[in-house]
Amino acid sequence: MERPAWAPQGIDISVPSVSRIYDYYLGGSHNFEVDREAAREAMRFIPGLPKVMQANRAFMRRAVRFAVDEGITQFLDIGSGIPTFGNVHEVAQRANPRARVLYVDHDPVAVAHSRAVLEGNEGAGIAAADLRKPQDILSASEAGELLDLSKPVALLLVAVLHFVEDQDDPYAAVAELRDALAPGSLLVLTHASYEGIPLSEEEAGGTVGVYRNIKNPLVMRSQEQVTRFFDGFDVLEPGVVSMPLWRPEGDASHEDPYAFSGFAGVGRKA
């Protein structure tokens, strides 16, 4: 398999990557055939996965604009993946040119491509770190350069927590990040769930099996379990809801049924 110029040396391009699969769902070009094969297999069970990802991105953009309107100029996006059109820094800096964005990912392709995209943008950067090790994120040199944790930050955990298994205690990781944030900070979160998918749990479970087989288990959590991530935050209206229902800009009833899969919410630290 020929290695494209954008793929860093040292990564195994014969193994599927969650961030590259996500890139494929969104119509991106930074993925390999092994990623596309896994994505197509997952879509065999949940055909509307691209619609789910599009709804996820649309929610993220609305939440970032909301954060800027609330006066927040700092964004910490963990599990940011491979940059695509309309990413956090583009949305935030369009609304406020002084906005500063730190992306965090542990996928070498996502990190390398982010560095290339962000070159020359003094208000945005990328750190190589893992959500399961919050101190590595908080102590990263890039965090010190871009973020002032004594002031409110919008913490984005968008489509990432469902890749953290219970044994790695995702609730503790979120709590550690929360405790490092100043009052007034926001938590912006989306999470996969069997609830809302227009399929039976048995049918949708085939997709979960695909991710398990590629050694990136997908953990589906209930609305109650997703809401627990907001402990220590005041959940803002309309609550933890399906992604199209969080402060829609139009009539959400016209959305594809698959767009209502999973949950989204925004909370404010008191």
Side-chain angles (χ1 to χ4, degrees), residues 32-65:
F32 304 120
E33 182 56 30
V34 67
D35 306 307
R36 296 188 284 273
E37 286 176 2
R40 288 191 290 264
E41 179 66 9
M43 290 166 61
R44 194 164 66 83
F45 299 101
I46 304 181
L49 279 171
K51 294 295 183 182
V52 177
M53 307 312 164
Q54 290 164 19
N56 186 77
R57 298 284 294 183
F59 159 77
M60 178 273 289
R61 289 191 285 267
R62 294 197 304 277
V64 168
R65 287 193 292 267

Side-chain angles (χ1 to χ4, degrees), residues 103-254:
Y103 294 111
V104 177
D105 208 287
H106 64 81
D107 184 320
V109 170
V111 172
H113 193 54
S114 296
R115 285 196 178 121
V117 167
L118 299 172
E119 187 174 0
N121 187 331
E122 295 182 358
I126 176 78
D130 193 314
L131 171 59
R132 292 168 293 187
K133 298 178 179 179
Q135 278 306 315
D136 288 356
I137 297 171
L138 297 169
S139 63
S141 60
E142 295 89 351
E145 293 165 3
L146 280 169
L147 304 178
D148 178 358
L149 296 182
S150 70
K151 298 177 181 178
V153 173
L155 169 62
L156 281 73
L157 299 175
V158 176
V160 63
L161 283 164
H162 46 237
F163 291 114
V164 183
E165 297 181 272
D166 290 340
Q167 67 196 36
D168 291 318
D169 203 348
Y171 295 103
V174 175
E176 190 170 348
L177 290 164
R178 176 201 66 212
D179 291 347
L181 300 179
S185 293
L186 298 179
L187 171 60
V188 176
L189 183 154
T190 65
H191 199 295
S193 177
Y194 285 120
E195 298 174 40
I197 300 178
L199 297 169
S200 70
E201 184 172 325
E202 183 179 14
E203 291 173 304
T207 289
V208 175
V210 171
Y211 280 91
R212 186 185 308 115
N213 290 340
I214 66 171
K215 304 296 189 295
N216 281 287
L218 177 60
V219 183
M220 304 292 244
R221 295 189 171 98
S222 68
Q223 185 177 28
E224 181 181 0
Q225 290 171 317
V226 174
T227 302
R228 273 185 58 202
F229 286 113
F230 288 96
D231 285 356
F233 294 89
D234 296 326
V235 178
L236 305 181
E237 291 294 331
V240 179
V241 296
S242 297
M243 292 177 288
L245 299 181
W246 195 89
R247 307 195 180 199
E249 295 170 344
D251 184 356
S253 66
H254 296 311

